[in-house]
Amino acid sequence: MKVLSVNAGSSSLKFKLYEMPEGKDLISGNFERIGIDNSFYTIKINGEKTKKELSIPNHKVAFTILVEELINNNIVNSLEEIKGIGHRIVQGGDYFNKTVIIDEQVVAKIEEFSSLAPLHNPAAITGLRAAQEVIPNAIQTAVFDTAFHQTMKVEQFLYGLPYEWYTKYKARRYGAHGTSHKYVSERINEILGRQDTKTIICHIGNGASISAVENGKCINTSMGLTPNAGLIMGTRCGDIDATIIPYIMDKTGLSIAEVTNIMNKESGLLGISGISSDSRDIEDGIKDGNERCVLAQKMYVRRIIDYIAKYYFEMNGVDAIVFTAGIGENSPLTRAQVIEGLEVMGIKLNGEANNSRSREVKITSEDSKIPCYVIPTDEEIMIAKDTFELI
Ligand code: ADP
């Protein structure tokens, strides 16, 4: 059965088509600059990538091109072969705790939660509407970034604010990256060979979050009402004293929108280093003796260690710590520095094993009290799996 995994942004559409249940990747690609000038798309079949530039005025046109490519490349003979389409949805609020089949009530709920994810949810609706029009017979599902975190208890997801802000305005921790945390926590349980585990999953990429997972269920996570909480990220500040906001507004005359934008797009590694949000540039800067890069990396690593320590105590121990996403999978330096900071827990690095990129590997030595792993994440296959299972 062929299942399409889709991630729609306001001007982009990423997709991957799988043969399920095998999980074989048949074609993947990305439409970019939809609705703006110089739009183009790339597709990848059997490792071969091609790029085409043409006008893509909206998501419906993108889906129509996608279908043409599938047929022209003999990946499907007819649309009927695509039985399911799973859509990544960023915010499912406190309503969705699992993947669901999309109907009008589900769309209305996604719309309702748009105020919590104003950039993402409306774009996802545009994407799913386009898919419904172009591939009407496929079963469409909504896979929520927040769903995996819905098992958090109230004392974990509530802020120390007036209770009515929660009951009236739904101001609480929701978390994000849930599909990745779910995928990686299931994989680590397979490696450990049991389900009754306590694991800490470090999804550290440009966006970054850490989850504490007990017996396969999320008990806490570092992102909050929005993704700008917890860890220091590429351009997001993560946890701060919220009172900094009125203080800076008062000092600078910046508006709430401007401060919000700076906290999301000009902070984190970029804000501290002053040069880049990309960890590769930070690592190059460190080699060149750039003090601000050294500082940015130190703060970045410190925050990760702090969260691991917090969740270690919260779960009363941990069976494995896992690194994933861009930096987690590709930066031996960051992993080594985090593990060095966990020495007090009896964790010992295997330097040689740690020196690898983009592959599943145990990076601690045999005498390490707690094993640490790298597990490449795969949100697309998780979306396809959930969709396949629902069908
Ligand atoms: P997101 O999906 O949140 O946009 P990614 O998970 O793709 O982000 O992670 C992007 C980050 O991963 C960047 O900081 C990038 O520098 C880092 N990264 C990717 N490859 C490498 C590498 N080979 N060495 C160090 N960092 C890397």
Side-chain angles (χ1 to χ4, degrees):
M1 179 197 296
K2 293 186 175 59
V3 174
L4 192 61
S5 172
V6 170
N7 184 353
S10 56
S11 65
S12 68
L13 182 78
K14 274 193 204 147
F15 68 90
K16 215 168 191 176
L17 184 74
Y18 291 95
E19 185 66 51
M20 296 303 286
E22 300 88 332
K24 184 169 185 278
D25 163 8
L26 302 172
I27 180 174
S28 60
N30 196 3
F31 292 83
E32 293 182 51
R33 302 183 62 85
I34 297 172
I36 34 185
D37 54 351
N38 302 324
S39 46
F40 66 94
Y41 69 94
T42 51
I43 53 168
K44 202 166 140 190
I45 309 171
N46 293 327
E48 209 171 297
K49 208 168 170 180
T50 47
K51 178 176 171 181
K52 292 184 190 167
E53 289 173 27
L54 80 174
S55 162
I56 312 172
N58 54 49
H59 287 72
K60 189 177 167 194
V61 171
F63 269 107
T64 308
I65 298 170
L66 166 56
V67 165
E68 280 166 14
E69 288 285 1
L70 296 182
I71 291 174
N72 293 344
N73 285 290
N74 296 320
I75 291 168
V76 299
N77 293 318
S78 86
L79 276 188
E80 304 307 312
E81 285 178 45
I82 303 171
K83 298 287 182 213
I85 305 178
H87 296 269
R88 178 194 181 204
I89 315 282
V90 164
Q91 183 52 266
D94 54 2
Y95 187 79
F96 296 105
N97 61 7
K98 57 179 191 296
T99 297
V100 294
I101 290 177
I102 294 174
D103 58 19
E104 283 312 306
Q105 200 197 342
V106 168
V107 177
K109 276 285 171 195
I110 296 171
E111 214 153 6
E112 184 185 322
F113 295 125
S114 285
S115 61
L116 293 166
L119 295 179
H120 295 101
N121 276 24
I125 294 175
T126 308
L128 72 88
R129 288 290 191 213
Q132 282 173 332
E133 278 188 61
V134 179
I135 315 174
N137 292 332
I139 290 177
Q140 315 240 3
T141 68
V143 185
F144 298 94
D145 257 21
T146 46
F148 183 62
H149 305 304
Q150 279 296 304
T151 42
M152 281 186 289
K153 289 190 181 143
V154 63
E155 58 267 36
Q156 256 89 19
F157 70 64
L158 209 59
Y159 292 113
L161 292 164
Y163 194 77
E164 292 68 32
W165 289 12
Y166 162 55
T167 51
K168 278 193 194 157
Y169 310 115
K170 295 185 184 287
R172 49 158 284 183
R173 178 190 304 284
Y174 293 100
H177 291 146
T179 308
S180 172
H181 286 286
K182 184 172 179 227
Y183 174 83
V184 175
S185 58
E186 285 180 6
R187 179 68 198 127
I188 186 64
N189 279 1
E190 275 172 22
I191 294 172
L192 296 174
R194 56 197 175 88
Q195 298 303 315
D196 58 335
T197 58
K198 297 171 181 176
T199 58
I200 296 175
I201 313 298
C202 309
H203 175 115
I204 47 177
N206 187 34
S209 65
I210 300 197
S211 285
V213 183
E214 199 166 340
N215 305 330
K217 295 205 161 45
C218 174
I219 66 153
N220 208 345
T221 194
S222 61
M223 281 180 167
L225 175 83
T226 73
N228 198 358
L231 302 177
I232 289 172
M233 308 180 213
T235 59
R236 295 188 193 123
C237 57
D239 292 344
I240 57 163
D241 173 348
T243 313
I244 289 172
I245 299 164
Y247 173 76
I248 289 294
M249 287 173 70
D250 189 42
K251 286 280 178 199
T252 61
L254 288 170
S255 69
I256 193 84
E258 287 165 330
V259 174
T260 306
N261 191 52
I262 292 169
M263 290 192 308
N264 277 293
K265 302 214 171 118
E266 296 174 28
S267 299
L269 290 178
L270 173 63
I272 302 162
S273 72
I275 62 156
S276 176
S277 61
D278 191 302
S279 73
R280 285 166 288 203
D281 298 334
I282 302 296
E283 291 187 19
D284 287 345
I286 294 169
K287 283 187 206 129
D288 295 341
N290 181 320
E291 291 293 328
R292 294 261 298 272
C293 289
V294 173
L295 177 64
Q297 176 73 6
K298 227 184 234 175
M299 290 171 65
Y300 185 85
V301 166
R302 181 73 251 162
R303 191 70 67 87
I304 297 169
I305 296 167
D306 289 350
Y307 265 94
I308 292 174
K310 170 177 151 61
Y311 292 155
Y312 174 71
F313 278 91
E314 212 162 295
M315 291 193 289
N316 199 19
V318 62
D319 296 310
I321 298 168
V322 188
F323 296 90
T324 194
I327 299 172
E329 292 168 29
N330 293 297
S331 173
L333 176 78
T334 302
R335 294 191 303 246
Q337 289 179 340
V338 169
I339 288 177
E340 197 180 313
L342 299 172
E343 209 182 331
V344 68
M345 287 161 67
I347 300 183
K348 290 187 192 157
L349 186 75
N350 175 341
E352 204 180 20
N354 183 47
N355 227 354
S356 74
R357 296 176 202 272
S358 297
R359 69 181 183 94
E360 192 174 291
V361 61
K362 182 168 146 185
I363 54 170
T364 40
S365 59
E366 286 313 311
D367 62 342
S368 177
K369 267 198 188 151
I370 299 160
C372 299
Y373 292 83
V374 174
I375 298 180
T377 192
D378 194 340
E379 287 158 288
E380 291 91 353
I381 189 74
M382 200 72 227
I383 291 174
K385 269 188 188 168
D386 270 10
T387 306
F388 173 75
E389 274 162 26
L390 267 182
I391 294 171

